[in-house]
Amino acid sequence: MVQLNLPAFYTTPLTQVILVGITCFATVGMFSAVSNLGAGGSQDVILSDISQGVLYGMFALTGLISGGINNLLGPRLTLFIGTLGYAFFQTQGTRWFLIFAGAVLGFTAALLWSAQGSIMMSYPLEKDKGKSFGIFWAIFQFGSFIGSVIALAINIRSGSLSAVSTSTYVAFIIIIFIGIASAFLVLPPNRVIRSDGTIVKLEAASKVHEEVIGMAHLLKDWRMIALLPMFFASNYFYAYQGAINAGMFDGPTRALNATLEGAGAIIGALLIGFFVLDSKWFGRRTRGYLGLAVVAAMTIIIWGVALSWQVTFDRADAKALLDAAKLINYKDENYKGKGALYFFYFFSDACYQALAYWIMSALTNDPFQLARFAGLYKAVQSAGAAGSFGMDAVATPYLNEHLASWILMLVSYPLAFLVIRTVKETNYDDEETVYVDDIKRAEAEKGHAPPAAEEKSSIDKASVKDAGESPAPLVSDA
């Protein structure tokens, strides 16, 4: 059942989370680096918005079934397929090709993030799930950070707005292909051993009808319904932030902002993962409350500061700057404070994403269920992003986009609070665990390798019942 011919360090959850981080560093991270330059690396903001809208629309549709696909194919193959779209999207071509590439990437990205979510949320011990997010997110965002530094170094000589150079694209594509190959380094869950001796183990390959039933039960779970606003808001603000970056700053400054974004995301993920969500000084539910308080406070402060700047200009002002070739440069006096804003935009974004993943992972340790959670999360998240890019494509006033992004996040917090109230100190007592020593003992007693594990349904009836029944006080509160 379990092959022990690999080095012990390689079979640990930490190593596997790092490997998934490297895969996303080299694929999603490079994609984000180009996108964060403003207009997806192109000067045509409208075309970029249309392409991004198609991308996230397809992402949302595929996300509804991507968790089931992961459970049928396994995380390794799903992760590999999921990386392919990022290389395809970076190919420069005609306008229609960019839109088509966005649709392809939307399909494959849903697969990648379902596999990633299942691994990151189910492989670690409960006490390490916040840290695992921090490590993964830091590595993943380091791709965006390095990519932005590369773009900054290549484009800074121009000193004015320009599309991303061909040499920049070549560098990105090379790194992306390395990331695609790295997907095969990830181990399946039945070969991963936690520090307490338990195995992360999928009992058997899932079946299509089981995934349909599992998704139906998931959509009836009041906790998932309560988290939908949080999911929807989690990428909604990217369109607004990208539009401001593209509309107000010149090429080198856009690259600098993207670099600051990457740095903010790395630091934010590590701080909240290690010192808040996995703090050893508090119980698990208390850590959830603390994380929610930290994220809510940052949302109010950072977006309040951003509003004070946003009310001083509109789209007409941005167009005038472009026409006069006077877009903001990082050397200009009026750039002061703008770089810090982009740093804290993504610092708080990392904390927001960490909280969402932590809440989901605190509800169960089951890899199949967490894959479905991740798929639903990315589906609803992408639906929000598609809507926001659609708003930007029709030149919605910047102020309206800002307020929509801000309000959606604020509305999600009270509902997230209700879900955190249901978090148990541990789920181990309610879920089956398998120890590697027990398997060795069974093999020794039988004198040969054990037969294939008896096939089991991927749907835990007990957990489904628990998920479908909410505590009476919470029902009345909701």
Side-chain angles (χ1 to χ4, degrees):
M1 182 182 295
V2 178
Q3 302 177 31
L4 302 175
N5 56 340
L6 292 172
F9 78 90
Y10 195 79
T11 63
T12 63
L14 176 60
T15 298
Q16 297 307 305
V17 169
I18 290 174
L19 289 174
V20 174
I22 291 173
T23 299
C24 292
F25 155 85
T27 52
V28 191
M30 294 298 102
F31 168 78
S32 297
V34 176
S35 297
N36 287 341
L37 291 177
S42 166
Q43 288 177 296
D44 191 338
V45 179
I46 300 300
L47 174 61
S48 177
D49 281 339
I50 294 172
S51 177
Q52 294 279 0
V54 171
L55 187 161
Y56 283 110
M58 182 61 72
F59 200 155
L61 292 174
T62 308
L64 294 174
I65 60 173
S66 59
I69 294 174
N70 175 80
N71 294 340
L72 293 169
L73 300 181
R76 177 188 285 172
L77 182 57
T78 306
L79 189 68
F80 167 71
I81 297 173
T83 62
L84 298 178
Y86 289 94
F88 187 66
F89 189 82
Q90 296 300 336
T91 306
Q92 298 191 46
T94 61
R95 293 174 63 90
W96 71 264
F97 180 82
L98 185 61
I99 296 173
F100 174 71
V104 173
L105 177 57
F107 174 79
T108 60
L111 301 181
L112 181 146
W113 285 104
S114 289
Q116 174 274 335
S118 176
I119 292 171
M120 186 184 71
M121 292 191 288
S122 69
Y123 280 24
L125 290 168
E126 290 179 345
K127 68 182 182 66
D128 297 327
K129 291 189 176 185
K131 291 189 284 288
S132 293
F133 172 86
I135 292 169
F136 165 80
W137 203 258
I139 296 172
F140 154 52
Q141 288 290 344
F142 195 63
S144 177
F145 178 76
I146 292 297
S148 299
V149 170
I150 292 172
L152 179 62
I154 292 175
N155 291 289
I156 200 168
R157 297 177 184 176
S158 65
S160 60
L161 179 65
S162 60
V164 177
S165 63
T166 301
S167 59
T168 303
Y169 274 106
V170 171
F172 288 162
I173 291 174
I174 290 174
I175 297 173
I176 286 173
F177 276 112
I178 294 174
I180 292 173
S182 71
F184 288 105
L185 298 176
V186 174
L187 292 178
N190 67 323
R191 302 193 66 186
V192 179
I193 304 173
R194 302 187 182 108
S195 60
D196 65 350
T198 59
I199 299 173
V200 181
K201 178 176 172 291
L202 296 179
E203 295 290 342
S206 182
K207 294 185 176 66
V208 174
H209 77 275
E210 291 175 346
E211 290 306 313
V212 173
I213 296 172
M215 196 65 194
H217 283 299
L218 181 64
L219 295 176
K220 294 178 182 178
D221 186 343
W222 74 267
R223 298 171 301 178
M224 287 295 106
I225 302 301
L227 289 175
L228 292 183
M230 189 176 200
F231 296 170
F232 190 84
S234 60
N235 271 11
Y236 195 89
F237 42 77
Y238 286 168
Y240 166 73
Q241 293 168 348
I244 299 298
N245 200 25
M248 297 296 292
F249 303 101
D250 65 13
T253 309
R254 285 168 12 202
L256 175 60
N257 287 343
T259 303
L260 292 171
E261 291 171 0
I266 291 169
I267 296 172
L270 291 173
L271 288 180
I272 195 169
F274 278 77
F275 300 108
V276 179
L277 297 177
D278 277 359
S279 172
K280 59 184 178 181
W281 304 108
F282 305 102
R284 188 154 73 152
R285 187 182 303 169
T286 302
R287 299 198 304 269
Y289 290 146
L290 182 59
L292 180 61
V294 168
V295 172
M298 285 192 296
T299 301
I300 294 171
I301 295 171
I302 294 170
W303 283 82
V305 171
L307 179 62
S308 68
W309 177 45
Q310 180 58 76
V311 296
T312 64
F313 69 94
D314 56 21
R315 286 187 180 272
D317 297 321
K319 186 177 186 303
L321 289 176
L322 178 60
D323 293 341
K326 292 184 178 180
L327 291 167
I328 299 174
N329 182 267
Y330 63 91
K331 297 178 182 179
D332 297 340
E333 179 66 20
N334 60 348
Y335 181 68
K336 185 179 299 183
K338 309 303 187 299
L341 179 61
Y342 270 85
F343 174 90
F344 283 107
Y345 266 152
F346 277 70
F347 182 99
S348 61
D349 169 49
C351 295
Y352 190 99
Q353 306 291 338
L355 180 63
Y357 274 113
W358 185 90
I359 293 173
M360 289 186 287
S361 67
L363 300 179
T364 181
N365 296 313
D366 177 55
F368 277 8
Q369 188 75 337
L370 287 171
R372 298 186 193 108
F373 283 4
L376 180 64
Y377 173 51
K378 302 306 289 189
V380 178
Q381 179 187 76
S382 300
S388 65
F389 278 106
M391 285 181 62
D392 195 62
V394 297
T396 300
Y398 287 148
L399 181 59
N400 292 5
E401 292 189 26
H402 176 285
L403 292 176
S405 300
W406 196 11
I407 291 172
L408 283 171
M409 286 186 286
L410 294 176
V411 167
S412 72
Y413 296 142
L415 296 172
F417 174 82
L418 296 179
V419 178
I420 293 174
R421 286 182 60 184
T422 69
V423 170
K424 302 176 181 178
E425 285 304 312
T426 180
N427 293 317
Y428 293 139
D429 296 336
D430 303 325
E431 298 175 349
E432 181 183 3
T433 56
V434 179
Y435 287 85
V436 66
D437 288 342
D438 292 339
I439 296 175
K440 291 180 180 178
R441 188 179 303 110
E443 291 178 353
E445 291 174 354
K446 293 181 179 180
H448 57 77
E454 180 181 356
E455 188 176 288
K456 296 184 179 180
S457 169
S458 65
I459 303 171
D460 186 334
K461 295 182 180 178
S463 64
V464 168
K465 179 180 179 182
D466 292 341
E469 299 178 358
S470 57
L474 293 181
V475 172
S476 60
D477 289 344

mmCIF file of all heavy atoms in Angstrom, residues 134-151:
data_model
loop_
_atom_site.group_PDB
_atom_site.id
_atom_site.type_symbol
_atom_site.label_atom_id
_atom_site.label_comp_id
_atom_site.label_asym_id
_atom_site.label_seq_id
_atom_site.Cartn_x
_atom_site.Cartn_y
_atom_site.Cartn_z
ATOM 1 N N GLY A 134 1.229 29.833 4.427
ATOM 2 C CA GLY A 134 2.230 30.886 4.356
ATOM 3 C C GLY A 134 3.419 30.492 3.505
ATOM 4 O O GLY A 134 3.907 31.283 2.680
ATOM 5 N N ILE A 135 3.898 29.264 3.688
ATOM 6 C CA ILE A 135 5.040 28.792 2.907
ATOM 7 C C ILE A 135 4.677 28.689 1.434
ATOM 8 O O ILE A 135 5.418 29.151 0.553
ATOM 9 C CB ILE A 135 5.525 27.431 3.449
ATOM 10 C CG1 ILE A 135 6.130 27.607 4.842
ATOM 11 C CG2 ILE A 135 6.539 26.796 2.497
ATOM 12 C CD1 ILE A 135 6.398 26.305 5.563
ATOM 13 N N PHE A 136 3.527 28.072 1.149
ATOM 14 C CA PHE A 136 3.116 27.946 -0.252
ATOM 15 C C PHE A 136 2.954 29.309 -0.900
ATOM 16 O O PHE A 136 3.465 29.566 -1.989
ATOM 17 C CB PHE A 136 1.799 27.178 -0.376
ATOM 18 C CG PHE A 136 1.165 27.343 -1.728
ATOM 19 C CD1 PHE A 136 1.607 26.593 -2.812
ATOM 20 C CD2 PHE A 136 0.167 28.291 -1.950
ATOM 21 C CE1 PHE A 136 1.072 26.783 -4.075
ATOM 22 C CE2 PHE A 136 -0.378 28.486 -3.201
ATOM 23 C CZ PHE A 136 0.076 27.727 -4.271
ATOM 24 N N TRP A 137 2.216 30.204 -0.239
ATOM 25 C CA TRP A 137 1.910 31.502 -0.843
ATOM 26 C C TRP A 137 3.169 32.331 -1.051
ATOM 27 O O TRP A 137 3.292 33.058 -2.038
ATOM 28 C CB TRP A 137 0.900 32.247 0.028
ATOM 29 C CG TRP A 137 0.117 33.294 -0.702
ATOM 30 C CD1 TRP A 137 0.318 34.646 -0.674
ATOM 31 C CD2 TRP A 137 -1.006 33.076 -1.577
ATOM 32 N NE1 TRP A 137 -0.609 35.282 -1.461
ATOM 33 C CE2 TRP A 137 -1.434 34.346 -2.027
ATOM 34 C CE3 TRP A 137 -1.686 31.942 -2.001
ATOM 35 C CZ2 TRP A 137 -2.515 34.501 -2.893
ATOM 36 C CZ3 TRP A 137 -2.757 32.099 -2.853
ATOM 37 C CH2 TRP A 137 -3.166 33.356 -3.295
ATOM 38 N N ALA A 138 4.115 32.224 -0.117
ATOM 39 C CA ALA A 138 5.373 32.962 -0.256
ATOM 40 C C ALA A 138 6.155 32.479 -1.474
ATOM 41 O O ALA A 138 6.681 33.289 -2.254
ATOM 42 C CB ALA A 138 6.206 32.819 1.015
ATOM 43 N N ILE A 139 6.234 31.156 -1.644
ATOM 44 C CA ILE A 139 6.958 30.609 -2.805
ATOM 45 C C ILE A 139 6.239 30.979 -4.096
ATOM 46 O O ILE A 139 6.863 31.415 -5.069
ATOM 47 C CB ILE A 139 7.089 29.079 -2.681
ATOM 48 C CG1 ILE A 139 7.932 28.713 -1.461
ATOM 49 C CG2 ILE A 139 7.713 28.492 -3.946
ATOM 50 C CD1 ILE A 139 7.951 27.229 -1.162
ATOM 51 N N PHE A 140 4.939 30.802 -4.110
ATOM 52 C CA PHE A 140 4.127 31.121 -5.297
ATOM 53 C C PHE A 140 4.262 32.596 -5.674
ATOM 54 O O PHE A 140 4.516 32.938 -6.828
ATOM 55 C CB PHE A 140 2.681 30.739 -4.986
ATOM 56 C CG PHE A 140 1.636 31.500 -5.743
ATOM 57 C CD1 PHE A 140 1.681 31.609 -7.120
ATOM 58 C CD2 PHE A 140 0.583 32.095 -5.062
ATOM 59 C CE1 PHE A 140 0.699 32.317 -7.812
ATOM 60 C CE2 PHE A 140 -0.397 32.797 -5.737
ATOM 61 C CZ PHE A 140 -0.330 32.911 -7.120
ATOM 62 N N GLN A 141 4.140 33.481 -4.698
ATOM 63 C CA GLN A 141 4.234 34.907 -4.988
ATOM 64 C C GLN A 141 5.663 35.341 -5.287
ATOM 65 O O GLN A 141 5.867 36.382 -5.913
ATOM 66 C CB GLN A 141 3.684 35.715 -3.808
ATOM 67 C CG GLN A 141 2.174 35.645 -3.659
ATOM 68 C CD GLN A 141 1.450 36.380 -4.775
ATOM 69 O OE1 GLN A 141 2.020 37.183 -5.491
ATOM 70 N NE2 GLN A 141 0.159 36.094 -4.923
ATOM 71 N N PHE A 142 6.629 34.543 -4.877
ATOM 72 C CA PHE A 142 8.014 34.851 -5.233
ATOM 73 C C PHE A 142 8.197 34.772 -6.744
ATOM 74 O O PHE A 142 9.053 35.458 -7.314
ATOM 75 C CB PHE A 142 8.973 33.882 -4.531
ATOM 76 C CG PHE A 142 10.403 34.338 -4.543
ATOM 77 C CD1 PHE A 142 10.767 35.503 -3.895
ATOM 78 C CD2 PHE A 142 11.381 33.603 -5.201
ATOM 79 C CE1 PHE A 142 12.087 35.932 -3.896
ATOM 80 C CE2 PHE A 142 12.696 34.020 -5.212
ATOM 81 C CZ PHE A 142 13.057 35.184 -4.556
ATOM 82 N N GLY A 143 7.366 33.955 -7.404
ATOM 83 C CA GLY A 143 7.386 33.923 -8.868
ATOM 84 C C GLY A 143 6.981 35.260 -9.446
ATOM 85 O O GLY A 143 7.622 35.786 -10.370
ATOM 86 N N SER A 144 5.897 35.825 -8.904
ATOM 87 C CA SER A 144 5.464 37.147 -9.347
ATOM 88 C C SER A 144 6.519 38.193 -9.035
ATOM 89 O O SER A 144 6.798 39.079 -9.851
ATOM 90 C CB SER A 144 4.142 37.505 -8.654
ATOM 91 O OG SER A 144 3.729 38.808 -8.998
ATOM 92 N N PHE A 145 7.130 38.072 -7.860
ATOM 93 C CA PHE A 145 8.155 39.032 -7.449
ATOM 94 C C PHE A 145 9.373 38.982 -8.376
ATOM 95 O O PHE A 145 9.829 40.016 -8.884
ATOM 96 C CB PHE A 145 8.569 38.725 -6.009
ATOM 97 C CG PHE A 145 9.661 39.601 -5.477
ATOM 98 C CD1 PHE A 145 9.393 40.900 -5.087
ATOM 99 C CD2 PHE A 145 10.965 39.127 -5.363
ATOM 100 C CE1 PHE A 145 10.399 41.719 -4.597
ATOM 101 C CE2 PHE A 145 11.973 39.929 -4.885
ATOM 102 C CZ PHE A 145 11.686 41.232 -4.488
ATOM 103 N N ILE A 146 9.903 37.781 -8.615
ATOM 104 C CA ILE A 146 11.073 37.644 -9.486
ATOM 105 C C ILE A 146 10.742 38.055 -10.916
ATOM 106 O O ILE A 146 11.518 38.743 -11.586
ATOM 107 C CB ILE A 146 11.599 36.190 -9.461
ATOM 108 C CG1 ILE A 146 12.178 35.877 -8.080
ATOM 109 C CG2 ILE A 146 12.643 35.984 -10.538
ATOM 110 C CD1 ILE A 146 13.368 36.726 -7.693
ATOM 111 N N GLY A 147 9.566 37.642 -11.393
ATOM 112 C CA GLY A 147 9.162 38.019 -12.742
ATOM 113 C C GLY A 147 9.067 39.520 -12.900
ATOM 114 O O GLY A 147 9.467 40.083 -13.938
ATOM 115 N N SER A 148 8.563 40.194 -11.881
ATOM 116 C CA SER A 148 8.448 41.645 -11.937
ATOM 117 C C SER A 148 9.819 42.308 -11.906
ATOM 118 O O SER A 148 10.044 43.322 -12.574
ATOM 119 C CB SER A 148 7.598 42.139 -10.761
ATOM 120 O OG SER A 148 6.310 41.593 -10.816
ATOM 121 N N VAL A 149 10.739 41.740 -11.127
ATOM 122 C CA VAL A 149 12.100 42.275 -11.099
ATOM 123 C C VAL A 149 12.760 42.130 -12.469
ATOM 124 O O VAL A 149 13.448 43.049 -12.952
ATOM 125 C CB VAL A 149 12.937 41.563 -10.012
ATOM 126 C CG1 VAL A 149 14.408 41.928 -10.139
ATOM 127 C CG2 VAL A 149 12.423 41.914 -8.627
ATOM 128 N N ILE A 150 12.532 40.973 -13.123
ATOM 129 C CA ILE A 150 13.076 40.762 -14.467
ATOM 130 C C ILE A 150 12.517 41.804 -15.426
ATOM 131 O O ILE A 150 13.258 42.432 -16.203
ATOM 132 C CB ILE A 150 12.735 39.338 -14.960
ATOM 133 C CG1 ILE A 150 13.484 38.293 -14.136
ATOM 134 C CG2 ILE A 150 13.084 39.191 -16.449
ATOM 135 C CD1 ILE A 150 13.066 36.865 -14.439
ATOM 136 N N ALA A 151 11.202 41.980 -15.388
ATOM 137 C CA ALA A 151 10.561 42.954 -16.268
ATOM 138 C C ALA A 151 11.042 44.368 -15.967
ATOM 139 O O ALA A 151 11.267 45.170 -16.884
ATOM 140 C CB ALA A 151 9.047 42.876 -16.115
#
